[in-house]
Amino acid sequence: RRELAVERRLVVRLKSERSTSTEVVVASFHGRVPEAGPLPLRTLEPLGVARETGRLAVATASPFRVRVQDVAGLDQIDRSGFEPPESAGQDLALLAAYRYTARPWRMELQIDRLQPEIEVFDRTAVQVGGREIALHSLLTAQVTVAPLASLSLRLPAELRVSELQVPDGATWFLDRGPEGQQLTIRLDKPRMGSLELVLRGELARDASRSEFQVPGVRMPGVLQYRGQWAIGFDEDWQAVLVDAGGAGPLEPSQLDPALQQVMDGPPDYAFHYDSPGEPVRFELTKAPSRLIGQVTTVVSVRAGEVAYLCNLDLEVRQAARAEFQLVTPEWLGADLELQGAEFRQVHSETDGRYRTWRIQLQQPVRGTYRLQLTQTLPLPEDRTLRAAFIRPRDVERLQQYLVLENLTSDQIVPRRMQGVATVSPNAAPESLAESLRRQATAIYRVDEDDAQLTWERRVHELQAGLQAAIPLVDLTTVIHRDGRYRAQAVYRIRNFTLQFLEVELPVHSQVWSVQVADQPVRPAMDQQPGSSTLLLPLQRTSAGDFSSDVVLVYGGHLGRSLRHWSHVPIPVPQILSDVPVSRTLWTVYLPDEYRVSWVDADSNLERVAAASLRDERQRSFLDELRELVQVASHPGESAARSKAYWNIQRLGTTLQDYAQPQVRRADVAPADVRQQAQQIEAEIRQLERLDREVEQGERGADFYFQKQAEQEFRDPAEQEFRGPAEQEAFRGEVPSERTGPPRDALRRQAADQLLRLKSDSDHELQRAEEPEAKRLDRAVTPLASDPDQRPGDPDLLPVGTAHHFRKLHGEPQLALRIRHQDLGYQLAAWVWAGLCLLLAVGVIRVLTRPKLAQRVRRTWPNWLFLAGLAWLFLLPGVFVGWLLLVTAACVRLTRARRPRHRRKRWVPATPS
């Protein structure tokens, strides 16, 4: 369009007429600046004035350079005294100042735009993997001279940008062209100073090409471009430098700290350069892998079969590996069950003696890789068991162990051992499960390649064991003053084959009642001269049952009444059957007025407190429970094992009361009882866990070996940029369905409905099982209760003072020496009366002697010394006795130091 050459007029109208000076501020700008040539400067010219004077200043901003070309009618002045108006801005720099007194005047300016100068410091980390290259660049751009509005970077054509950090407020976009990619970053406003950029991306790499050029990021049009390279190669590759491209070597410790933080470890190569040149080139070759293995083979002998379970922990070092080879004996067969991660295909071939397995994986792996082999074979008819030696090939170092597990009642003994050594369970590999480590029959370490190991299985018939055993005998005897006694003997017995318990009653005693498992029975009596033998019928119990109680209540007479001083042998039934007794607890009640001491020569028990009896009952119960746990832990299926497991489940929280101290209860179990209960509780939890695992299926490799931590066997670069969903899909894991409260509520509701539907039938079933439940409750409840609170015969109520005794193993014998309290009072009264009589006689004798005062004055320190000595040992208030002794001693010392005057001997006068 045409530009008008006419001048414009600006009219400013005031609100009122002014007769004094008026200040008018006008801000204007020139819309066009010529790209080349001078710019004539024209300013506003007031019209209708008589005289015009003024000042003119030339200022410039940082992106421009201004020079004054021609000046006419203007006089230059000092620019330091010129103050530009506030509307002109604060970022202007004054170049010159002029003044004029009249028009016309002329000024021409030469204006040039300045270009920014950029210095770039590039730090790039390159991690080379098998199929991918990870690039991480840190760029610091230092902008000087003029502000910068945008940046441009050239990127490799195949780079996938995964992360980009730009200055705040900036926007960026990628432009893909035939020559590569260009990254443009536009700032929110022109800036000067330091700009930080972070770029991270990946490139695909052709693994078939041996030559490798290090990719990088370039920024064109910069004044100076310097940087550092940190290059790391995967362990699968060996790199040889071909051409450094003008870059110089650099120690890894001299790299920029920011670049050292980006790298996972020390780089393989480090370079520095002052100007970008040719790319750095390497020659790559495949690196050999190193393999270290640990093989643990479990030989599990079961009912009718023998299982071989092998666990191979292979550690792949230096370079990844996608194929493994194993050698197994041919007699194991070709139908082995192999378990591992990322199987692609498995091949096997045999030479008649050994079978070689080739296992190919989907991706090369590095680190720890686990293989598991499982095979089950029938038991050989010749009763010879062979050990399976499974070895991986191409292994630098190999550790091999063999574990023998016997789940049968047969005896397995080694027949031939060559190249193997027996080790302790602590020396077993860590991959072995703790339960198998404790229960293994034997653990062997293989030391030679041609090792041989065979066992012989010996089948033994069952041998007869104990007919019965008595874990606890609880005796209670109440003795009256007239010599009568009532007693109760509770025999807690585990009977396997015994029909009767033969017991000999004390002399002059008779049976009141006999109960077996809470049922009254009629015992058989065998009367003989001088003794009476009692045959108590017993209930048959299995190895998985708790003991049953045989309660014998009897009474009799000691033969005489209790005197003031008596020696009393306590009668007790003697067990004639060959049945061992583990513990005997005895409580004897005597009248309160008697003092009791037991006779060591005629007794084999020890006197204890009442709490000790309760602790012994708890220990007896825990010992019995431990035997049941051992029966329930026995391998194989049997009625005794099922019965023991059922009885253990019926205990409920009884065992927890022993294992955990009750703060509110006064009868807290001692520390050893709590520790024993905690151990049994842990064994029961282990037993329940093993039973749950056996119910889920047969014992597999996961049962015998520790679980391995989940690990992905991928290239580090590929694993780093895989999303969570891809990682789950790669591991082959399907997220489990979330179980919420509604599902639990439905389960509880269904259980309640089943209980209501079966209420009638369950009531009848409880009636049928009531005796068994009562026996179980009786086996547990009395152990935790006070013996004084147990119901019994009315004549057996505790009367008098209780005295408690105990004995471990053997028949008890107890004899007591009793003394009546009245005897002591009478003896004390006679002694006191004699002392008073002697004192009275001594006082009368002294008072009747001549010169009493002189004798008292001479001998009173001796009497004071005797009184202090008696007070010191016989009377309370020891300090009084010491005071009397010190006073007497001081008086004696004072008299001993006085000079003795010779007394004149009186001679009677003789008549003249």
Side-chain angles (χ1 to χ4, degrees), residues 622 625-626 629 652-653 655-660 674-688:
L622 294 179
L625 180 59
R626 182 180 292 277
V629 172
T653 60
L655 186 60
Q656 297 180 1
D657 296 338
Y658 296 148
Q660 300 176 0
R674 291 200 304 270
Q675 183 179 2
Q676 184 179 2
Q678 292 172 2
Q679 294 177 357
I680 297 177
E681 190 176 10
E683 294 178 1
I684 293 176
R685 287 197 299 266
Q686 180 72 10
L687 176 63
E688 293 176 352

Side-chain angles (χ1 to χ4, degrees), residues 318-395:
Q318 187 172 346
R321 175 173 293 200
E323 181 178 334
F324 298 97
Q325 294 186 7
L326 305 176
V327 178
T328 62
E330 176 59 26
W331 54 266
L332 275 181
D335 56 344
L336 294 180
E337 181 183 353
L338 296 175
Q339 295 180 4
E342 296 189 57
F343 276 5
R344 183 178 180 182
Q345 57 183 356
V346 179
H347 297 283
S348 66
E349 55 184 10
T350 180
D351 58 357
R353 184 180 179 185
Y354 296 101
R355 181 173 293 273
T356 303
W357 298 80
R358 295 180 58 191
I359 303 172
Q360 296 181 358
L361 308 180
Q362 297 178 4
Q363 297 291 338
V365 298
R366 184 189 298 113
T368 303
Y369 185 78
R370 171 167 289 188
L371 275 173
Q372 291 180 348
L373 291 78
T374 306
Q375 179 63 290
T376 303
L377 300 176
L379 286 175
E381 296 180 358
D382 58 354
R383 299 183 180 181
T384 300
L385 303 175
R386 291 183 289 179
F389 296 97
I390 301 174
R391 297 183 178 89
R393 284 187 173 180
D394 302 331
V395 179

Side-chain angles (χ1 to χ4, degrees), residues 298 302 308-311 337 339 370-374 431 433 436 698-707:
V298 177
R302 304 170 182 177
Y308 295 90
L309 305 102
C310 181
N311 182 82
E337 181 183 353
Q339 295 180 4
R370 171 167 289 188
L371 275 173
Q372 291 180 348
L373 291 78
T374 306
S431 60
L436 180 60
E698 296 183 356
R699 296 187 177 185
D702 295 338
F703 178 81
Y704 292 102
F705 303 104
Q706 301 284 355
K707 292 184 178 180

Side-chain angles (χ1 to χ4, degrees), residues 163-227:
E163 181 182 355
L164 182 61
Q165 297 180 12
V166 297
D168 296 337
T171 59
W172 59 274
F173 60 90
L174 280 173
D175 185 12
R176 298 181 182 272
E179 299 181 356
Q181 298 185 92
Q182 182 174 356
L183 175 64
T184 303
I185 302 173
R186 292 182 179 178
L187 305 177
D188 55 346
K189 61 180 181 179
R191 298 187 184 183
M192 294 183 62
S194 178
L195 301 177
E196 299 289 342
L197 301 176
V198 178
L199 175 66
R200 188 174 181 179
E202 298 81 35
L203 293 91
R205 176 182 172 270
D206 187 2
S208 61
R209 297 184 57 183
S210 60
E211 184 177 353
F212 169 70
Q213 293 184 359
V214 179
V217 178
R218 292 291 182 266
M219 184 182 296
V222 298
L223 180 64
Q224 184 181 5
Y225 199 102
R226 59 188 183 90

Side-chain angles (χ1 to χ4, degrees), residues 519-685:
Q519 299 295 329
V521 298
R522 182 184 297 275
M525 297 289 295
D526 184 11
Q527 296 288 344
Q528 296 180 1
S531 65
S532 59
T533 304
L534 190 66
L535 300 180
L536 303 177
L538 299 179
Q539 182 185 17
R540 179 72 178 272
T541 59
S542 66
D545 286 328
F546 282 99
S547 59
S548 61
D549 288 350
V550 177
V551 182
L552 172 63
V553 180
Y554 61 96
H557 199 279
L558 298 177
R560 61 179 180 178
S561 60
L562 301 181
R563 302 176 182 177
H564 291 286
W565 187 287
S566 301
H567 179 272
V568 181
I570 309 299
V572 61
Q574 300 293 325
I575 300 176
L576 302 180
S577 301
D578 188 12
V579 179
V581 179
S582 299
R583 282 182 175 84
T584 301
L585 306 180
W586 202 342
T587 302
V588 180
Y589 290 90
L590 288 169
D592 298 334
E593 60 268 17
Y594 284 93
R595 298 181 181 274
V596 178
S597 61
W598 77 96
V599 182
D600 295 338
D602 300 335
S603 303
N604 57 3
L605 288 87
E606 60 174 337
R607 191 169 185 176
V608 295
S612 299
L613 298 187
R614 181 185 62 251
D615 298 341
E616 290 297 330
R617 294 186 181 96
Q618 294 175 356
R619 293 186 181 95
S620 177
F621 168 68
L622 294 179
D623 292 342
E624 190 173 350
L625 180 59
R626 182 180 292 277
E627 294 182 5
L628 262 67
V629 172
Q630 293 178 357
V631 174
S633 303
H634 193 274
E637 293 295 335
S638 62
R641 181 183 183 276
S642 302
K643 191 69 172 179
Y645 190 73
W646 181 80
N647 287 329
I648 291 173
Q649 289 181 333
R650 291 287 302 274
L651 288 178
T653 60
T654 304
L655 186 60
Q656 297 180 1
D657 296 338
Y658 296 148
Q660 300 176 0
Q662 303 291 334
V663 180
R664 298 181 180 179
R665 288 180 51 184
D667 54 343
V668 179
D672 59 336
V673 174
R674 291 200 304 270
Q675 183 179 2
Q676 184 179 2
Q678 292 172 2
Q679 294 177 357
I680 297 177
E681 190 176 10
E683 294 178 1
I684 293 176
R685 287 197 299 266

